[in-house]
């Protein structure tokens, strides 16, 4: 994920991690552009349940269409791409990531950094946590003459990944995904590739340690990070092409050092409007951000000195802050655990538990749900989550609606009003508490609901 | 009595029988409190297990001695009082009416609910049910999607065994549902599928004899009554229908597709037919005939049930299609098999599976020269004028130009 649009004037000069991320991404897209000449195989796959270490152990390059879609949103291209897809017969009702991707493809397949994206040699349909993924690659495969390999990751309907489900994923990895990669790359999954996979899994675990340290730094007051708006940059490398790579490890080491230095100095994160050292509100956020008005959305928070201390969106590509790490000693099993544990593969009670845990662990003053129209995986059930979390924490929540990359669904005035009235309510609640009023009850959150 | 009078009387009796059966089915369809299912449970001291669309292995519920109850939303008769507070406007209608049914106590006779892996809305609803109804058994049923049959079969057998264990417990059996009980139930459901096929065959051959409204009401009743009763009523209906064919009308023949989960209002089905389109195939309530052909009743019943799904499940939008040509040719095959002139894509608004599939299916149909129209509905749509015009124009175009 590029940081080009974010606070460059404040940070570019001093934050090594941002420079590193920018370089990594540029190099990756250049390498992708050259892939047709260099012969490096290209594997398209999804962020949740991505098998980057395995893909790279085979010497192939991953492409994540969701990242391209969100980048198109940030760069103001998504409106045209979505219109193009709708013109071609895609319904206005369905996920805009898919339409943005298809529109981009139909408009020349120029990726976020301005380079042409290569065609896939393999579509690795990791069916993890989202129904739309299945259709997305069924749709893409109509456009490309390449094989598709399907990996079904069972949903954690009972709140855990059962041994049978774990085994089912591992069987598919062994019986389908690996043979498909062998075919496309012309390499056998032998001891050498397995050793390479293990090495990469160890690199992944290292970066995961550092990422968790970064995310958990938000427990401090003031928080040295914004765990949502800043968080989406922090997860960029590990959720996309760079988990299990040396560049990824270097990035997270640098990031951790910077964040720890900020924490030691009692400083907050840098926002589009400058440093946020004075933090009046600590919030937890559920749901993806809007990408088309990302900076404007962030500013609505920073204008009020509100910092996000934990978010669930930063767990879509892997939940690491409850202890999971990739384990090089059990390559297939660990990949199964990883896939099964991605945030949108968790059931509603687990998602509610996670929010409650964040609110408590991160001493949050409030929580907010950004419900995006595109995504049934995230959004269906969020109004119940709101109520349950309110009930269990005694903290009222706010509910706002937007979309990922369809600018037609971002109503700035509406969202701003909702957020402001919500923060005012948090103030009133605090005052009440300070005055011995007790507070409690979530019912007041109603005014912030749709 | 002359021969002619005798025939007229027979026809009258058959007509009355048909009306009685359709009336019986309609009562069950319209009863949003599931009164008949409740009474059945009381009478037989049995429990009931609900399931959402599209496909659930009803055999296991039945084999546990419980009543399988299809939960298909609230249709156009249910007033949504609480359900809307659970869903944003951009989510389909079915889950809000299902929540409404649950919150209003209409589903309180269910001892459990199965949520098949139809889409993320139903998936998430499973967790919501866990939160809202902690007293009932809830299971998300992940259907096998892997296109490696051996791996998928192993997985699905495991899932079915879990259901046998859990539902045995819910039913109060001493242990899991037994293989023998499951075999017997598979045989019953083979009969169910057989009569449904007969119904579909008769409609395909003589659509003027089996109006879709009647076929549909029977299928809906089949979702809430024990299999034996459904078989009995459907057989009687078939007999009566054969004896009372309506006159042949000048209508085109269409396949309706996309309506496998949230159900269109009955008025919409009637509108399509009255506007000049005989529905000769559809995917309404497709779960009841998802398994194609007989499921073996010899040997390991779990393996048989799993094999039938993995090897012979009807193609639907909710199951991964491993064969790229499978999707491209699906509607051509369906239209040919049904002798249809065109395809009507009727999908619920905001329905991911139906709407994401539509461009692929439509392109496939059109590539084979099959004319298509598409519209969206909600289960509570009340205005049919627009559908009537669209379907009427479609029928006229096919009649005039063969849809070209
Ligand atoms: S539905 Fe949600 S999770 Fe799925 S592709 Fe769209 S945005 Fe991603
Ligand atoms: S109508 Fe479509 S989106 Fe809604 S629950 Fe059914 S399958 Fe899911």
């Amino acid at each position: 994920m590029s940081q080009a649009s974010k606070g460059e004037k404040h940070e570019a000069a001093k934050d090594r991690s941002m420079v590193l991320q920018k370089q990594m991404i540029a190099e990756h897209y250049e390498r992708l552009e050259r892939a047709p000449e260099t012969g490096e195989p290209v594997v398209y796959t999804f962020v949740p349940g991505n098998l980057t270490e395995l893909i790279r152990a085979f010497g192939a390059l991953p492409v994540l269409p969701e990242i391209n879609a969100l980048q198109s949103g940030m760069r103001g291209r998504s409106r045209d791409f979505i219109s193009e897809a709708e013109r071609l017969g895609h319904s206005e009702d369905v996920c805009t990531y898919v339409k943005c991707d298809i529109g981009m493809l139909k408009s020349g397949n120029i990726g976020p950094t301005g380079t042409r994206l290569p065609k896939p040699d393999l579509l690795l349909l990791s069916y993890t946590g989202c129904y739309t993924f299945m259709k997305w690659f069924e749709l893409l495969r109509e456009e490309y003459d390449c094989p598709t390999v399907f990996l079904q990751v069972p949903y954690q309907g009972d709140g855990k990944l059962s041994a049978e489900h774990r085994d089912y994923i591992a069987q598919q990895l062994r019986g389908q995904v690996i043979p498909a990669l062998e075919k496309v790359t012309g390499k056998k999954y032998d001891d050498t590739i397995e050793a390479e996979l293990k090495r990469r899994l160890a690199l992944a675990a290292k970066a995961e340690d550092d990422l968790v340290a970064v995310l958990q730094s938000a427990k401090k007051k003031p928080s040295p990070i914004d765990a949502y708006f800043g968080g989406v940059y922090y997860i960029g490398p590990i959720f996309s092409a760079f988990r299990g790579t040396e560049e990824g490890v270097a990035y997270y080491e640098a990031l951790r050092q910077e964040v720890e230095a900020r924490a030691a100095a009692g400083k907050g994160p840098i926002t589009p409007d400058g440093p946020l050292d004075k933090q009046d509100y600590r919030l937890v956020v559920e749901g993806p951000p809007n990408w088309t008005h990302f900076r404007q959305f962030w500013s609505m928070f920073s204008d009020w000195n509100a910092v996000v201390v934990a978010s669930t969106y930063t767990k879509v590509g892997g939940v690491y802050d409850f202890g999971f790490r990739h384990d090089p000693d059990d390559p297939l099993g660990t990949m199964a655990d990883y896939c099964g544990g991605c945030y949108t593969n968790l059931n509603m009670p687990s998602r509610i538990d996670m929010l409650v845990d964040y609110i408590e662990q991160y001493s949050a003053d409030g929580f907010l749900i950004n419900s995006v129209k595109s995504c049934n995986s995230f959004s269906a059930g969020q109004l119940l989550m709101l109520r349950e979390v309110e009930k269990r924490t005694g903290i009222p929540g706010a509910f706002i609606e937007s979309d990922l990359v369809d600018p037609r669904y971002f109503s700035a005035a509406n969202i701003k009003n909702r957020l402001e009235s919500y923060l005012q309510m948090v103030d009133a609640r605090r005052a009440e508490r300070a005055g011995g009023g007790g507070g409690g009850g979530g019912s007041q959150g109603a005014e912030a609901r749709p | 009595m002359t021969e002619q009078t005798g025939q007229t009387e027979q026809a009258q009796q058959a007509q009355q029988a048909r009306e009685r059966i359709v009336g019986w089915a309609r009562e069950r369809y319209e009863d949003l409190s599931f009164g008949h299912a409740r009474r059945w449970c009381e009478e037989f001291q049995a429990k009931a297990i609900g399931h959402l669309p599209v496909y659930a292995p009803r055999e296991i519920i039945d084999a546990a001695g419980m009543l399988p109850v299809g939960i298909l939303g609230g249709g156009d008769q249910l007033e949504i009082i609480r359900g809307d507070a659970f869903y944003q406007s951009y989510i389909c209608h079915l889950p809000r009416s299902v929540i409404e049914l649950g919150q209003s106590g209409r589903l309180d006779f269910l001892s459990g609910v199965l949520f098949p892996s139809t889409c993320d809305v139903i998936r998430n609803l499973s967790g919501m049910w866990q939160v809202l109804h902690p007293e009932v058994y809830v299971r998300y049923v992940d259907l096998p999607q892997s296109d490696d049959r051996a791996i998928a079969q192993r997985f699905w057998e495991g899932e079915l065994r879990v259901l046998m264990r859990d539902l045995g417990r819910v039913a109060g059996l001493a242990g899991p549902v037994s293989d023998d009980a499951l075999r017997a139930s598979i045989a019953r459901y083979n009969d169910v599928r057989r009569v449904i096929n007969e119904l579909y065959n008769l409609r395909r051959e003589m659509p003027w004899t089996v109006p879709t409204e009647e076929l549909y009401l029977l299928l809906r009743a089949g979702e809430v009554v024990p299999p034996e009763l459904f078989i009995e009523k459907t057989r009687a209906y078939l007999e009566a229908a054969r004896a009372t064919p309506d006159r042949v009308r000048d209508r085109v023949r269409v396949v309706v597709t996309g309506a496998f989960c949230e159900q269109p209002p009955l008025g919409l089905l009637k509108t399509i037919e009255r506007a000049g389109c005989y529905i000769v195939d559809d995917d309404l309530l497709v779960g009841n005939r998802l398994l194609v052909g007989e499921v073996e009743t010899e040997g390991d019943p779990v393996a048989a049930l799993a094999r039938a799904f993995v090897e012979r499940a009807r193609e639907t939008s909710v199951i991964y299609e491993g064969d790229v040509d499978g999707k491209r040719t699906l509607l051509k095959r369906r239209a040919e098999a049904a002798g249809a002139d065109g395809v009507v894509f009727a999908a619920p608004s905001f329905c991911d599976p139906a709407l994401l599939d539509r461009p692929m299916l439509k392109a496939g149909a059109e590539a084979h020269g099959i004319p298509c129209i598409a519209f969206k509905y909600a289960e509570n749509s009340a205005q049919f004028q627009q559908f009537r015009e669209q379907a009427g124009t479609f029928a006229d175009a096919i009649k005039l130009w063969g849809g070209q």
Side-chain angles (χ1 to χ4, degrees):
Chain A
M1 226 171 293
S2 164
Q3 73 288 12
S5 57
K6 185 212 156 192
E8 216 161 13
K9 63 181 186 292
H10 301 290
E11 275 198 311
K14 48 188 177 181
D15 278 357
R16 201 167 83 83
S17 68
M18 296 185 85
V19 178
L20 280 176
Q21 182 169 159
K22 194 167 185 173
Q23 266 170 11
M24 283 153 75
I25 288 169
E27 280 168 19
H28 183 64
Y29 279 103
E30 278 165 24
R31 211 167 142 188
L32 284 171
E33 190 181 32
R34 289 198 313 271
E37 292 101 65
T38 60
E40 284 185 293
V42 174
V43 176
Y44 283 24
T45 196
F46 294 108
V47 170
N50 73 74
L51 303 170
T52 303
E53 299 84 359
L54 184 65
I55 293 169
R56 289 211 182 246
F58 272 99
L61 298 173
V63 169
L64 289 303
E66 296 139 290
I67 307 278
N68 297 335
L70 77 85
Q71 290 283 355
S72 299
M74 283 180 124
R75 284 152 203 268
R77 304 293 313 278
S78 54
R79 181 196 294 266
D80 291 346
F81 291 157
I82 291 168
S83 303
E84 174 65 7
E86 289 179 357
R87 199 184 57 74
L88 293 168
H90 293 267
S91 167
E92 65 270 28
D93 290 358
V94 301
C95 173
T96 50
Y97 267 7
V98 182
K99 288 183 285 189
C100 187
D101 187 40
I102 287 175
M104 183 180 86
L105 167 67
K106 295 289 184 190
S107 317
N109 225 14
I110 303 299
T113 55
T115 56
R116 185 178 299 277
L117 286 168
K119 290 181 176 171
D121 296 292
L122 177 69
L123 295 169
L124 198 175
L125 203 181
S126 180
Y127 187 46
T128 304
C130 165
Y131 169 84
T132 299
F133 288 161
M134 174 162 51
K135 295 295 136 187
W136 193 337
F137 273 11
E138 282 182 359
L139 284 158
L140 278 199
R141 119 191 132 171
E142 293 291 323
E143 308 291 335
Y144 297 114
D145 185 23
C146 78
T148 306
V149 62
F150 184 85
L151 171 70
Q152 179 182 8
V153 174
Y155 181 61
Q156 292 200 11
D158 291 338
K160 59 184 183 314
L161 186 70
S162 71
E164 292 76 18
H165 289 176
R166 185 179 194 262
D167 202 39
Y168 177 51
I169 304 170
Q171 281 172 28
Q172 295 174 79
L173 289 171
R174 199 179 299 113
Q176 292 189 276
V177 175
I178 289 177
L181 284 165
E182 286 179 331
K183 209 164 166 197
V184 159
T185 60
K187 293 179 184 166
K188 262 255 77 46
Y189 184 76
D190 54 11
D191 290 350
T192 314
I193 300 257
E194 187 169 270
E196 175 63 2
L197 172 61
K198 289 181 172 182
R199 187 183 76 81
R200 289 187 176 275
L201 291 168
L203 291 174
K206 195 161 179 330
E208 287 156 6
D209 277 341
D210 286 336
L211 171 66
V212 169
V214 167
L215 295 176
Q216 293 188 336
S217 70
K219 289 181 182 173
K220 275 188 146 330
K221 290 183 185 175
S223 168
I225 63 163
D226 184 289
Y228 187 54
F229 297 104
V232 299
Y233 292 93
Y234 303 155
I235 57 170
I238 207 163
F239 279 15
S240 58
F242 301 101
R243 206 182 58 218
T245 65
E246 282 80 4
E247 303 100 292
V249 169
Y251 168 79
Y252 284 101
E253 270 172 11
L255 177 67
R256 182 175 180 171
Q257 281 166 13
E258 288 156 13
V259 168
E260 285 177 352
R262 276 210 299 272
K267 288 185 175 306
I270 310 292
T271 74
D273 308 306
L276 187 65
D277 299 338
K278 180 177 175 298
Q279 299 172 355
D280 294 334
Y281 307 91
R282 296 170 62 83
L283 303 177
V284 167
V285 176
E286 145 77 15
N290 161 274
W291 300 111
T292 53
H293 299 73
F294 186 80
R295 287 173 66 105
Q296 190 183 0
F297 193 23
W298 190 350
S299 287
M300 290 180 193
F301 287 70
S302 47
D303 282 351
W304 279 70
N305 296 333
V307 68
V308 179
V309 289
S311 66
T312 52
Y313 180 68
T314 49
K315 315 296 155 30
V316 278
V319 176
Y320 299 110
D321 51 350
F322 293 87
F324 169 78
R325 295 288 179 278
H326 278 92
D327 174 6
D329 293 331
D330 177 14
L332 300 191
T334 204
M335 288 192 285
D337 287 334
Y338 158 72
C339 291
C342 289
Y343 180 70
T344 46
N345 206 47
L346 306 181
N347 70 358
M348 278 287 151
S350 304
R351 286 174 57 181
I352 292 167
D353 287 348
M354 193 187 273
L355 280 173
V356 170
D357 185 85
Y358 283 162
I359 289 167
E360 286 165 359
Q361 297 292 320
Y362 289 77
S363 317
D365 305 303
F367 71 99
L368 175 135
I369 296 178
N370 182 36
S371 184
V372 293
K373 172 183 174 284
S374 272
C375 185
N376 281 345
S377 177
F378 254 105
S379 306
Q382 280 177 328
L383 284 160
L384 178 69
M385 290 175 81
L386 174 74
R387 260 177 254 175
E388 287 299 306
V389 175
E390 285 180 340
K391 201 159 77 188
R392 282 174 52 184
T393 60
I395 292 179
F399 200 90
I400 56 176
E401 292 181 87
S402 64
D403 187 49
L404 295 161
V405 288
D406 192 336
R408 293 172 295 188
Y409 294 96
F410 189 87
S411 162
N414 218 334
I415 292 173
K416 196 164 188 289
N417 279 343
R418 283 235 164 100
L419 184 65
E420 288 178 3
S421 59
Y422 177 66
L423 294 176
Q424 282 163 3
M425 185 180 62
V426 171
D427 279 341
R429 203 169 156 273
R430 274 191 197 140
E432 207 178 296
R433 281 197 163 167
S443 56
Q444 308 152 65
E447 69 188 270
R449 285 186 200 146
Chain B
M1 189 167 63
T2 64
E3 199 178 315
Q4 204 180 0
T5 333
Q7 275 172 359
T8 315
E9 256 178 43
Q10 266 177 3
Q12 266 171 0
Q13 278 168 8
Q15 184 58 32
Q16 281 163 2
R18 179 203 276 253
E19 281 165 15
R20 262 198 314 276
I21 299 162
V22 173
W24 168 88
R26 192 184 301 276
E27 241 178 60
R28 275 140 194 87
Y29 164 71
E30 286 175 352
D31 178 8
L32 292 169
S33 297
F34 300 86
H36 299 90
R38 284 168 189 274
R39 281 196 288 283
W40 184 89
C41 291
E42 276 162 27
E43 190 181 336
F44 294 94
Q45 293 290 296
K47 294 182 176 175
I49 300 287
H51 68 84
L52 276 283
V54 170
Y55 172 80
R58 289 169 72 105
E59 288 85 343
I60 297 179
I61 304 171
D62 177 61
M66 299 190 285
L67 179 69
V69 176
I71 304 173
L72 293 145
D76 54 0
Q77 295 302 312
L78 183 69
E79 192 189 351
I80 307 293
I81 299 162
R82 306 163 188 86
D84 282 338
F86 288 80
Y87 285 102
Q88 304 87 320
S89 55
Y90 50 78
I91 289 176
C92 61
H93 202 270
L94 174 119
R96 58 192 85 226
S97 66
V98 171
I99 289 271
E100 184 71 37
L101 292 171
Q103 292 287 291
S104 60
R106 289 174 170 94
L107 298 175
D108 61 3
F109 69 109
L110 298 176
S111 302
V113 185
L114 309 183
F115 295 82
S117 54
T118 296
C119 68
D120 293 338
V121 173
I122 289 183
R123 185 197 71 174
N124 288 4
L125 184 56
S126 71
M128 295 170 72
W129 218 262
Q130 288 166 334
V131 172
L132 293 169
H133 303 276
E135 69 291 353
V136 306
Y137 171 74
V138 169
R139 183 153 180 94
Y140 177 71
V141 183
D142 233 328
L143 300 172
Q145 301 271 2
S146 170
D147 51 348
D148 179 311
R149 287 185 172 179
I151 294 175
Q153 163 99 15
R154 257 199 309 275
F155 167 73
W156 189 225
E157 278 186 34
E159 294 300 293
L160 295 174
R161 289 266 175 217
V162 169
L163 277 177
M164 285 166 79
R165 181 198 67 198
D166 289 1
L167 293 179
R169 182 173 47 74
V170 175
L173 306 180
V177 171
S178 73
D179 282 7
D180 281 342
L182 183 56
R183 258 183 231 108
S185 179
I186 286 175
R188 271 193 291 283
Y189 276 92
N190 277 338
D191 286 344
V192 166
R193 285 182 281 269
R194 208 172 294 129
V195 292
I196 292 175
N197 282 342
E198 276 185 55
L199 203 51
Y200 271 77
N201 289 345
L202 183 61
R203 184 184 61 171
R204 192 184 59 230
E205 284 155 23
M206 296 193 284
W208 48 91
T209 297
V210 182
T212 294
E213 178 188 8
E214 295 185 0
L215 170 140
Y216 181 72
L217 286 170
L218 267 171
L219 297 189
R220 284 297 295 260
E223 294 289 307
V224 296
V225 303
E228 302 86 340
L229 185 56
F230 171 71
I231 294 164
E232 180 196 316
K233 294 286 181 190
T234 308
R235 285 201 178 125
Y237 174 84
L238 282 163
E239 198 182 319
R242 284 192 186 103
T244 53
D246 195 0
R247 73 182 163 80
V248 181
R249 289 167 211 267
D250 179 25
R251 289 179 181 169
V252 300
R253 298 164 62 92
V254 298
V255 173
V256 168
T257 191
F260 45 82
C261 181
E262 180 174 319
Q263 295 297 291
L266 201 51
L268 175 54
L269 297 175
K270 286 196 277 191
T271 299
I272 293 174
E273 294 215 307
R274 286 184 188 156
C277 303
Y278 279 131
I279 300 173
V280 286
D281 187 21
D282 61 62
D283 59 2
L284 299 157
L285 305 171
V286 72
N288 65 18
R289 54 196 184 286
L290 200 88
L291 305 185
V292 178
E294 301 270 301
V295 181
E296 296 146 62
T297 49
E298 305 290 322
D300 178 352
V302 178
L305 206 50
R307 205 165 30 247
F309 186 95
V310 169
E311 293 179 2
R312 305 196 301 275
R314 219 172 273 274
E315 293 148 280
T316 84
S317 304
V318 304
I319 302 172
Y320 176 60
E321 172 59 79
D323 171 17
V324 62
D325 281 331
K327 187 129 312 216
R328 291 178 188 149
T329 60
L330 176 60
L331 285 170
K332 171 183 177 274
R333 286 179 282 127
R334 281 182 62 190
E336 270 174 13
D341 308 300
V343 172
V344 175
F345 286 92
S349 294
F350 304 107
C351 175
D352 281 344
L355 294 171
L356 284 161
D357 239 6
R358 195 175 66 187
M360 289 179 274
L361 293 172
K362 195 157 173 277
E366 286 171 349
H368 291 100
I370 301 168
C372 304
I373 49 165
F375 47 69
K376 293 189 290 185
Y377 62 82
E379 58 178 353
N380 62 342
S381 298
Q383 298 297 328
F384 303 120
Q385 178 63 19
Q386 168 212 347
F387 303 128
R388 184 175 305 123
E389 280 166 16
Q390 249 185 296
T393 312
F394 186 57
D396 291 344
I398 290 177
K399 280 185 224 160
L400 277 173
W401 303 294
Q404 300 306 304

